[in-house]
Structure formats: structure tokens, C-alpha cells
Amino acid sequence: MIINAKTKLCCIIGNPVEHSLSPIMHNAGYEALRLNFAYMAFNVKELKEAIAGLRAIGVQGIVVTVPHKIEVMQYIDEIDETAQKIGAINTIVNENGVLTGTNTDWIGAIEALKKRTQLARKKVAVLGAGGAARAVCYGLMQEGAQVAVFNRTISKAQELVKHLKLENAYSLDEVEKIKSAEIIINTTSVGMESDISPLLDRVMQKDHIVFDIVYTPLKTKLIQQAEKVGAQVVYGDDMVLYGGLKQFEIFTGEKAPVDIMKKALTDELKKINK
Ligand code: ATR
């Protein structure tokens, strides 16, 4: 890849951001399609100043990650309807100087699940009620699933259920309620770089489909519990991939080279999970 005076810049901003898989994935895609684009990661603490700076230098696209997904909404020009409903953005595109925010987290999650199952009328237990849960619940709602939210802090689950008009809110201890779901999705950070599961062993059943959005490690404790009883599992890297493909298309206007971007992501994950 040759960077010259016409190269368009895209980037991810977050804190921390050093472990992001986005640069590897997007740059592999640019190279494969010979696009004059480059993708960098920036660790950003001063969000307002960072957005003003990126705006001033005319970046093409910005991916926004933890902890900036909500605060950043006040520093851009437009927010599409989906992102408004979710209440968070993870993608900003620059069109002739106008910065528009959208949310692709839900697309990543839904595409990953739809590879395994249809979602209409399925009973889904979503664990967690933070920003990631909001996006996942929004996507499930679009597909016509029946969503119940389980969270350590039940008031937050209740808030989310009310906001998106979902089925029910429960505490994470409601084992029998989770057991009766067909699909279980972990959106909490429990299991990230640790050997802890948000659920007890006995919750998991053979006919469950279990999706963990955590991907470091890929085989979280929750995924291990699911595999042990023979349940179907969906790994978190699929969500990163499908969300990333959508962002690539938004930034470049080109169809993403799926196999190449997937390989770049998988190779990088292998290094991390070694
Ligand atoms: P994100 O944007 O990644 O979703 P977040 O908005 O901070 O991050 O939400 C984190 C979620 O993980 C919350 O649902 C949180 O539960 P609380 O609302 O009770 O805080 C959940 N979570 C984090 N650590 C947890 C733990 N040790 N046990 C159970 N839930 C946990």
C-alpha cells in the first residue's frame, strides 16, 4: 500500500484502543481492492478536541469505541434514526464536511446469529443492559424476536426494556427464566480476559444457541459451558467481522472483500489467543 497526498484516512478512536482488530481488518480490505485509503487507531482521552481535529483534517470515517459511544453524539452534525433509537453511535462518516453518526454494532450481532438460526418469534435472553446490550436488543427487535433482559442491576434492565418496548427485565439470578430461552446472548464484559461466566453451569441446555460477544478469549467460560452440554455456539469474532464489513462499505462505498477481511481478523485473533 502506498500512502500519498490523496490517501483518505479512516480511524478508530477509543480508550484503550491498542487491542483493536479494526486496523488490520480494514487495511487488508483496502489493499485487496487497491483503494487509496489508510486506517489508523488513536487512543483518545479528549474526545471533543479529537473530533474537532479529525473534522478539521477531513478524515473520511471514524469508528468510535468504548468509552466514547454516547458522549460523541453531541460533537457531530447528524445522527441517523437507528443510532438515535439505540442511543449510541459507533460509526461516523464524513460527507462533504458533514459528520453523520450511525450504529453498526447491531448489524454485526444479528448477521452473526442469522448464520445459525432465524430470529422471528425466538425467545432470547440477553445478559447485560449496557451500550452493547442496547444495540443487540434493537437488532433482535427488528427481526421480531421476543427479548427478555437479565442484568446484575435490575433497574438498568428495566430501563432498557422500557426504552425499546421489550418483553421483560430480570436479575441475572433468575436461572429458570434463562433456561427457558432458546437463545442466550452475553453482552456483559464478564469473561473478558478472565475465566468467569455470568451464568451457573446448570443453566446451559443442549438445545440452546449461545452467543458471547466477548472475543478475548474466543472460548470464554460461557462458550465452554455451552460446548460441554453440546449447545450450538456463536463466537464474538463474527460480530466484529460483520460490523466491520458494514463500516468498510459506509466509508469506501465499495463492497467489502469478506474472505480477505475475515482472514485478517482470524489470523490476528490466533496471535492474541495463543
Ligand atoms: P458496554 O458498552 O460494553 O455494554 P457498559 O455500558 O458499561 O458496557 O455495560 C456493561 C454491562 O456489563 C452491564 O450490563 C453490567 O452490569 P451492571 O448494569 O449491573 O453494571 C455488566 N457487568 C459488568 N461487570 C459485571 C459483573 N462482574 N457481573 C455481572 N454483570 C457485569
Side-chain angles (χ1 to χ4, degrees):
M1 192 179 354
I2 294 170
I3 293 177
N4 62 20
K6 290 186 182 152
T7 304
K8 289 188 175 167
L9 179 65
C10 296
C11 62
I12 178 164
I13 57 172
N15 181 27
V17 81
E18 290 75 17
H19 302 294
S20 169
L21 300 165
S22 289
I24 286 280
M25 209 170 43
H26 285 258
N27 284 319
Y30 301 155
E31 205 170 329
L33 299 189
R34 298 184 182 282
L35 299 176
N36 195 357
F37 274 71
Y39 193 109
M40 297 280 296
F42 298 119
N43 190 305
V44 164
K45 293 189 189 80
E46 310 290 333
L47 183 59
K48 188 176 177 189
E49 287 78 0
I51 294 295
L54 292 169
R55 182 198 284 278
I57 62 169
V59 290
Q60 174 68 14
I62 309 167
V63 171
V64 185
T65 189
V66 178
H68 302 315
K69 290 184 185 184
I70 294 169
E71 188 193 339
V72 77
M73 295 172 87
Q74 59 189 294
Y75 306 132
I76 60 177
D77 307 311
E78 315 249 339
I79 293 161
D80 76 4
E81 206 185 316
T82 304
Q84 278 182 28
K85 277 197 187 133
I86 294 171
I89 66 166
N90 75 328
T91 308
I92 302 168
V93 64
N94 183 350
E95 284 159 325
N96 304 316
V98 178
L99 300 186
T100 302
T102 187
N103 191 310
T104 65
D105 282 336
W106 70 278
I107 298 173
I110 295 306
E111 289 297 315
L113 277 166
K114 275 170 71 176
K115 260 185 22 184
R116 314 294 199 294
T117 178
Q118 61 93 18
L119 294 165
R121 290 180 298 281
K122 285 275 160 68
K123 283 177 72 176
V124 186
V126 171
L127 316 180
R134 271 182 173 229
V136 168
C137 287
Y138 171 83
L140 291 168
M141 212 178 66
Q142 298 306 303
E143 297 292 323
Q146 297 172 26
V147 184
V149 180
F150 297 79
N151 198 42
R152 177 177 61 182
T153 314
I154 187 148
S155 59
K156 279 214 222 158
Q158 285 162 341
E159 230 171 82
L160 173 53
V161 163
K162 198 169 153 210
H163 177 75
L164 288 178
K165 300 189 178 65
L166 304 168
E167 299 278 313
N168 273 308
Y170 300 101
S171 126
L172 264 180
D173 310 327
E174 298 255 12
V175 171
E176 293 309 315
K177 290 275 188 314
I178 302 175
K179 249 187 185 173
S180 68
E182 296 167 277
I183 303 172
I184 299 173
I185 306 175
N186 176 43
T187 74
T188 75
S189 46
V190 182
M192 198 183 289
E193 276 143 32
S194 80
D195 199 25
I196 307 167
S197 168
L199 297 181
L200 299 169
D201 273 342
R202 65 190 164 89
V203 178
M204 224 57 91
Q205 309 292 313
K206 192 176 183 311
D207 54 0
H208 279 146
I209 296 175
V210 180
F211 175 23
D212 197 339
I213 74 165
V214 173
Y215 58 87
T216 48
L218 213 47
K219 285 209 180 197
T220 56
K221 179 79 182 176
L222 183 85
I223 291 285
Q224 290 173 36
Q225 288 172 319
E227 286 181 336
K228 208 166 149 193
V229 297
Q232 258 198 78
V233 301
V234 183
Y235 297 106
D237 60 340
D238 271 355
M239 177 166 166
V240 180
L241 174 68
Y242 291 112
L245 296 176
K246 183 72 190 168
Q247 286 162 334
F248 183 97
E249 293 177 6
I250 291 173
F251 294 162
T252 66
E254 302 284 340
K255 196 164 168 17
V258 181
D259 293 343
I260 284 163
M261 290 175 70
K262 183 173 182 166
K263 183 170 181 323
L265 175 68
T266 319
D267 288 351
E268 195 63 15
L269 271 170
K270 271 189 206 143
K271 282 188 217 160
I272 295 171
N273 284 304
K274 230 196 293 190

